Amino acid sequence: MTTTFSLKGTKKLLNAWAFYDWANSVYSLVISSAIFPIFYGALFRVAEIEKVTVFGGEIARAPLISYVTSAAFVFIAIVTPLISGVADYLGNKKIFLKFFCYLGAVSCIGLYWFSLDNVYFGLACYFFGLVGFWVSFAINNSYLPDIAYPEQQDGISAKGFSLGYIGSVLLLLFNLSMVMLPKLYGLEDSAGSPAEMKAMKISFVTVGIWWALFSQYTFKHLPKGYKRVGERRNIILNGFKELKGVWKQLGNRIKLKRYLGAFFVYSMAVQTVMLIATYFGEEEVDWGSDDFRTIGLIASILIIQVIAIAGAYLTAFLSKKYGNIKTLIWVNLVWVLLCVYAYFVITPTDFFIAAGLVGIVMGGIQALSRSTYSKFLPETTDTTSFFSFYDVAEKIGIVIGTLMYGAVAQITGSMRNSTIFLALFFLIGAFLLVRVNKKPQLNS
């Protein structure tokens, strides 16, 4: 039989849940946004090649990592509901949270051995690092309505994102000090491996250790989860059946269904911006020199992370005053203006201004989207399936968004045109959000 969490709403439980963001956000910053993209490009520059032979054919570095990323998100969209079904019937989603946390952490450490001579192993580590991060993140998200009451969810969601930004910036600063001053840490150049490259490899190890180590506080205090009552047949495929069940429930909950439609559209644009921002800055901004380009891109990433802390809390404050949906509408409209502004970005100063604006709305829209969805859920112990649905929608959006962004850039010959394309998604998202609170009202 199902039970309730006796400590629901307590400070210790809320902090333990939010602290997982502190633990795993170092992956999204150091691996996804900062150090790994620089390291990956440096591998090819040091080898003085642009293509590598993979699976019997030659492929350039940018399409290669793009295809691996897309494949990872397709895998994530498939495996998440599988995990959801098993977790619901075992009543122990924490064990899956641990598994994917450790999978991601070990994969990060494995990136230390990433090389062009060992490209399959390196790409596998990159692939499973993505899987570990996003699946564990989805499982942790599913705990939110279980551990927090509706009036607590905006605040603790914002706190989680803020902790993530703070922790990831701290580790990134340490890693950057190694990259910029490798000799200070006893790192020296060697044949085919500059000291800076060694520092980057060590950075991957620090991410894995940080992630696994700080997750222990979350694991200690989070409950196992709810145990599903009933027959335990088709456990593996049950997650997909539950997604179908969630979809059926949406038919009777108009507000939730409309919100999910809006979320799918604007989240597609948000996640695409997060994935391509560094590449846009590298290609479209006139940095003047390669050294300044590297420093400038890293500085812009730090600007985004620091400002995002304030952005998450600002959005939570505005949601209390004006409501979640109205706040999300305005945030989407700010994104529209930001995408239009990005079309005209040329100088480093322009790019830094854009980075600051991205920071304000990026943290806010992610935190508020998560808590808004949690508030719209019906009274249920099946939170894993509902958040699995949420996560699958987000991941499918990422695949579609990145593919369409790349297609527009390829057809038109400029990434700038793709920013206008993204602005349309945010505009449509704002329009769909306007419809959320229109009658018929949510049936409670």
Side-chain angles (χ1 to χ4, degrees):
M1 57 186 298
T2 59
T3 58
T4 58
F5 294 159
S6 60
L7 298 178
K8 181 174 182 176
T10 62
K11 187 175 181 179
K12 178 181 289 187
L13 184 58
L14 294 177
N15 287 338
W17 176 84
F19 201 67
Y20 189 69
D21 280 11
W22 169 282
N24 77 342
S25 290
V26 293
Y27 170 85
S28 61
L29 180 58
V30 178
I31 304 295
S32 294
S33 301
I35 304 296
F36 182 78
I38 297 173
F39 170 81
Y40 180 74
L43 278 179
F44 287 82
R45 287 196 302 272
V46 170
E48 297 182 343
I49 61 174
E50 284 296 322
K51 295 183 178 181
V52 65
T53 301
V54 179
F55 302 119
E58 282 195 338
I59 185 171
R61 61 181 184 179
L64 175 60
I65 203 68
S66 177
Y67 294 150
V68 174
T69 302
S70 296
F73 279 113
V74 171
F75 181 82
I76 291 164
I78 294 173
V79 77
T80 302
L82 291 177
I83 298 302
S84 169
V86 177
D88 281 340
Y89 275 84
L90 294 181
N92 190 352
K93 57 186 174 185
K94 185 162 71 171
I95 193 173
F96 293 102
L97 178 60
K98 288 183 176 181
F99 174 81
F100 284 98
C101 165
Y102 295 141
L103 174 66
V106 170
S107 297
C108 290
I109 295 173
L111 288 174
Y112 180 88
W113 291 277
F114 195 122
S115 69
L116 296 183
D117 294 329
N118 204 17
V119 66
Y120 292 109
F121 175 78
L123 290 176
C125 288
Y126 175 77
F127 180 96
F128 285 110
L130 270 173
V131 171
F133 173 79
W134 284 103
V135 177
S136 67
F137 186 66
I139 296 172
N140 193 58
N141 279 350
S142 74
Y143 271 102
L144 181 56
D146 298 336
I147 56 94
Y149 293 105
E151 64 272 16
Q152 297 174 312
Q153 290 170 9
D154 289 343
I156 197 61
S157 183
K159 183 175 184 178
F161 274 103
S162 297
L163 283 173
Y165 290 133
I166 294 171
S168 57
V169 167
L170 288 176
L171 185 60
L172 178 60
L173 289 174
F174 171 71
N175 290 333
L176 288 180
S177 69
M178 286 197 300
V179 175
M180 303 296 288
L181 302 168
K183 292 183 179 180
L184 185 64
Y185 294 87
L187 302 175
E188 301 290 343
D189 293 340
S190 60
S193 182
E196 292 82 359
M197 295 285 283
K198 290 183 180 179
M200 293 180 195
K201 289 183 176 183
I202 294 173
S203 297
F204 305 150
V205 176
T206 65
V207 169
I209 294 174
W210 176 293
W211 188 355
L213 180 64
F214 284 112
S215 295
Q216 300 310 307
Y217 180 72
T218 299
F219 297 157
K220 180 179 180 181
H221 295 288
L222 278 188
K224 289 182 177 181
Y226 286 111
K227 191 171 185 178
R228 174 63 61 85
V229 177
E231 297 183 65
R232 297 190 180 187
R233 294 183 301 175
N234 301 318
I235 294 177
I236 300 298
L237 297 178
N238 190 67
F240 291 101
K241 293 182 179 180
E242 291 188 355
L243 289 184
K244 185 178 179 180
V246 170
W247 176 254
K248 288 182 178 179
Q249 291 187 58
L250 294 180
N252 297 321
R253 306 188 71 85
I254 303 301
K255 180 177 286 190
L256 177 57
K257 189 172 184 178
R258 287 176 174 175
Y259 172 71
L260 269 174
F263 169 77
F264 179 80
V265 173
Y266 74 71
S267 178
M268 185 188 305
V270 171
Q271 297 299 333
T272 301
V273 169
M274 291 175 64
L275 289 170
I276 58 85
T278 302
Y279 300 101
F280 177 88
E282 184 178 38
E283 183 173 329
E284 298 292 342
V285 177
D286 182 12
W287 295 100
S289 69
D290 289 339
D291 289 340
F292 187 47
R293 176 183 285 106
T294 299
I295 295 173
L297 288 172
I298 291 174
S300 66
I301 292 168
L302 288 172
I303 289 172
I304 290 174
Q305 298 301 311
V306 172
I307 295 181
I309 298 171
Y313 280 107
L314 174 62
T315 308
F317 169 78
L318 292 175
S319 69
K320 286 184 178 180
K321 188 172 183 179
Y322 300 106
N324 289 39
I325 298 301
K326 285 185 179 180
T327 302
L328 282 171
I329 291 171
W330 282 106
V331 170
N332 270 268
L333 293 177
V334 173
W335 271 109
V336 172
L337 297 176
L338 179 55
C339 288
V340 173
Y341 173 75
Y343 180 85
F344 299 97
V345 167
I346 297 177
T347 68
T349 300
D350 295 336
F351 190 70
F352 291 143
I353 293 173
L357 295 174
V358 167
I360 292 175
V361 290
M362 184 180 71
I365 199 168
Q366 287 182 291
L368 192 58
S369 294
R370 177 169 63 178
S371 59
T372 300
Y373 179 71
S374 180
K375 286 182 175 182
F376 283 163
L377 295 184
E379 289 293 329
T380 178
T381 59
D382 190 15
T383 55
T384 307
S385 291
F386 273 92
F387 268 92
S388 174
F389 192 94
Y390 177 86
D391 192 66
V392 169
E394 183 181 50
K395 299 309 167 290
I396 293 175
I398 290 174
V399 175
I400 296 173
T402 51
L403 287 177
M404 294 182 71
Y405 182 93
V408 172
Q410 183 176 358
I411 293 171
T412 64
S414 173
M415 295 179 74
R416 294 182 184 277
N417 296 319
S418 296
T419 64
I420 301 300
F421 173 74
L422 291 177
L424 292 176
F425 276 98
F426 284 116
L427 192 60
I428 295 172
F431 170 75
L432 293 176
L433 284 169
V434 171
R435 296 179 66 249
V436 171
N437 285 328
K438 288 187 176 180
K439 293 184 178 181
Q441 294 292 333
L442 175 67
N443 294 323
S444 300

